[in-house]
Amino acid sequence: MITITKRLNVSVLILTMTWALFTYSSFTHANLANNETDFKKVERLLLFGNQDEAQKLLNNLQLKTVMLEEAQSGKEIGLKIAEFEARILFANNKLKQASNLLEELIEKHPNTPSLYKWYGQVNGGLAQQASIFKAGSYAKKSKNAFHKSIEVDTNYVDGYIGLIQFYLQAPAIAGGSNKKAKTIANQLLKVDPLQGTLSLLSVAQENNDQDRQEQLISQLEKDFQSSATALYVVGFHYQRQQRFEQAYQAFQSSVSSNVSDDVSTKELQSQLSSLYQLGRNAVFSSLHIKEGIQALTKYINVEVPTQLPSKSWANYRLAKLYLLDNQSQFAKPILMSLKAQLESDGKNSDKDLLALVKKELKKS
C-alpha cells in the first residue's frame, strides 16, 4: 500500500507539473497575442498624435508582462515597450532623452535594426535643432545609424528609406548626396520594388529630372494598381502638373484600394491623404465638385494622423466647394465657425488660413 500510495503521489505530482506548464504556456501564448494587439493600438495612437494615451497603454503592458520577465518572450516584449517609450519621447520633442534611451537599448540589443532606425531619426532631429558647431556630429550619428540598420538586416526597408531621406535632405557639408541616395534606392528596389520605385522618384524630383519622373510615375501607375500609396503619389504628380482629371482618377483609385488592418501601414495615411486631395483637386479644377464635397466631409469626420492637413484646411476647402456648387448657405456657416476658431487660437493660429477665410467672407 505504501508503494502504491507513493506511486500515486508521484503521478499526481507529474500531472500537476504538466498542467502547470501547460497553463503557463497557454498564458504565455495568450499574452503574446494580446500584447501584439496592444502594440498595434500603441502604434495607432502614435500615428494620430495621442502620446499620453500611448504611454498609459505601455504602462499597462509593463504590468501585464511581469509573469513573463524571465522568459525570452518577456524580454522581447520589454524591448518593444522600451522602443515605444523612446518613440514617445521623440514625438514629444524630447530628443536628447530619446537618444540616451536608444543608446542604452542598442548596447543591450545590438542586432535590432529598428533601434538604429529610430536612433538615426532622433539624431537627425537633433542635427536640425543644433548649432552649426554641433549639427555635423549629430548628422554623422544619424547617417551611421541608418547604415547600421541595413547592415544588421539587409531586408530592413525602413532603414533604407531613412538613409535615402538622409542623403536627399542633408546638406552636402553634412553628408548629403543625391548620387548616394540613388545608389541606396537601387539597392532597396531589389528588396521592396514599390518602396524602391518611390525612392527613385524622390531622387528624380531632387534632380529635377522630368523625363525620369514621368517614367517612374508610369511604372507606379502600371505595376502597383492595388497600392494606395503608389496611386496617391501618382495623383499628386498629375495634380502638380494641372492634369486634374488624371489626378482625380488616381486619388479615387487610392481611396478605393483595399488596406490591411495593420494600422501602422503607410497605406492608411495615403488613403486619407487621397481623400483630402480629392477635395483640393476639385477646388483647383472645378471638376468633380460633388465627389470633392463627399471626400472632404468624410475626411473631416474621421480621425487623421497629425502629419496630414488639418481639419481647418479641410473645412476651408469644403466651403470653397460649396461656393463653387452655388450652395453658399452651407459655405458661410463653415467660414464663420472657422474664423472664430482661428481667432481664438491666438498666437497659435494659422495666419495664412485666417487671411483666406476672411477674404472669402468678404466676397460672400
Side-chain angles (χ1 to χ4, degrees):
M1 285 294 294
I2 294 173
T3 303
I4 294 172
T5 303
K6 285 182 178 179
R7 286 176 182 171
L8 285 171
N9 288 339
V10 170
S11 298
V12 170
L13 180 61
I14 291 172
L15 283 169
T16 303
M17 290 174 66
T18 303
W19 176 252
L21 287 170
F22 172 77
T23 304
Y24 178 77
S25 177
S26 300
F27 168 83
T28 300
H29 285 100
N31 268 270
L32 286 173
N34 291 337
N35 286 328
E36 283 303 315
T37 301
D38 286 338
F39 282 132
K40 285 184 179 181
K41 289 179 182 176
V42 173
E43 189 79 53
R44 186 180 181 87
L45 288 167
L46 288 179
L47 182 65
F48 292 101
N50 299 322
Q51 288 91 282
D52 290 343
E53 290 301 314
Q55 186 62 64
K56 287 178 184 176
L57 188 49
L58 285 177
N59 292 341
N60 291 336
L61 272 168
Q62 191 79 57
L63 291 172
K64 284 167 61 178
T65 56
V66 171
M67 288 186 69
L68 301 175
E69 264 187 2
E70 298 303 319
Q72 183 62 32
S73 56
K75 293 175 183 176
E76 291 170 2
I77 293 168
L79 173 58
K80 276 192 176 182
I81 290 171
E83 183 178 322
F84 270 118
E85 287 177 338
R87 289 176 58 183
I88 290 172
L89 289 170
F90 180 36
N92 287 328
N93 201 34
K94 296 179 180 179
L95 304 186
K96 196 59 185 173
Q97 289 172 259
S99 178
N100 291 339
L101 175 54
L102 286 164
E103 283 178 3
E104 292 175 14
L105 293 173
I106 287 170
E107 188 175 346
K108 295 176 183 176
H109 308 276
N111 295 316
T112 307
S114 57
L115 296 178
Y116 294 103
K117 189 266 285 199
W118 287 110
Y119 189 65
Q121 285 197 221
V122 168
N123 277 277
L126 285 166
Q128 291 176 354
Q129 296 180 11
S131 68
I132 192 171
F133 304 106
K134 293 183 177 179
S137 174
Y138 288 127
K140 185 177 180 180
K141 285 182 179 180
S142 178
K143 180 183 69 173
N144 290 344
F146 288 130
H147 266 294
K148 187 67 178 177
S149 71
I150 59 177
E151 180 185 315
V152 167
D153 182 354
T154 55
N155 293 317
Y156 185 59
V157 173
D158 284 352
Y160 286 98
I161 293 173
L163 186 56
I164 292 163
Q165 289 175 341
F166 173 87
Y167 280 133
L168 290 178
Q169 295 171 8
I173 194 171
S177 167
N178 289 2
K179 185 177 180 180
K180 289 181 179 178
K182 184 177 179 180
T183 299
I184 302 300
N186 278 314
Q187 292 174 16
L188 176 57
L189 194 64
K190 298 172 185 176
V191 177
D192 187 317
L194 170 58
Q195 294 303 324
T197 305
L198 289 169
S199 296
L200 286 170
L201 177 61
S202 295
V203 174
Q205 289 168 342
E206 285 294 319
N207 290 332
N208 199 27
D209 186 340
Q210 299 296 329
D211 291 340
R212 182 60 171 151
Q213 287 181 54
E214 287 298 326
Q215 179 187 357
L216 291 164
I217 286 294
S218 296
Q219 190 175 336
L220 286 170
E221 200 168 11
K222 177 186 174 184
D223 296 344
F224 303 99
Q225 295 178 13
S226 62
S227 168
T229 300
L231 294 166
Y232 165 73
V233 170
V234 168
F236 200 76
H237 174 81
Y238 287 145
Q239 189 184 79
R240 285 190 302 180
Q241 294 189 330
Q242 298 186 0
R243 293 154 69 178
F244 296 120
E245 182 60 35
Q246 287 170 284
Y248 168 78
Q249 296 298 336
F251 290 138
Q252 276 285 27
S253 296
S254 175
V255 168
S256 303
S257 61
N258 291 322
V259 172
S260 70
D261 292 332
D262 183 1
V263 293
S264 69
T265 184
K266 295 172 185 175
E267 295 284 281
L268 173 61
Q269 294 186 64
S270 296
Q271 267 197 337
L272 292 170
S273 295
S274 293
L275 266 182
Y276 178 82
Q277 293 302 331
L278 278 168
R280 186 170 179 259
N281 197 63
V283 172
F284 292 161
S285 66
S286 297
L287 300 170
H288 304 289
I289 291 172
K290 293 191 185 304
E291 291 86 351
I293 289 171
Q294 291 173 357
L296 285 175
T297 301
K298 185 173 181 180
Y299 184 87
I300 289 164
N301 287 305
V302 298
E303 191 177 16
V304 296
T306 53
Q307 306 97 311
L308 300 191
S310 69
K311 299 287 182 74
S312 296
W313 273 100
N315 272 298
Y316 168 71
R317 299 204 186 281
L318 178 59
K320 290 278 287 183
L321 289 181
Y322 278 130
L323 291 171
L324 285 171
D325 203 38
N326 297 315
Q327 297 190 71
S328 58
Q329 72 273 22
F330 295 126
K332 193 164 184 179
I334 294 173
L335 292 169
M336 291 293 293
S337 175
L338 196 49
K339 177 176 176 286
Q341 175 201 320
L342 291 167
E343 287 178 338
S344 68
D345 289 341
K347 293 181 180 179
N348 297 321
S349 175
D350 186 331
K351 306 299 183 191
D352 293 335
L353 180 56
L354 180 57
L356 289 171
V357 169
K358 288 179 177 179
K359 185 178 178 181
E360 287 299 329
L361 281 169
K362 282 182 181 178
K363 289 195 291 184
S364 61

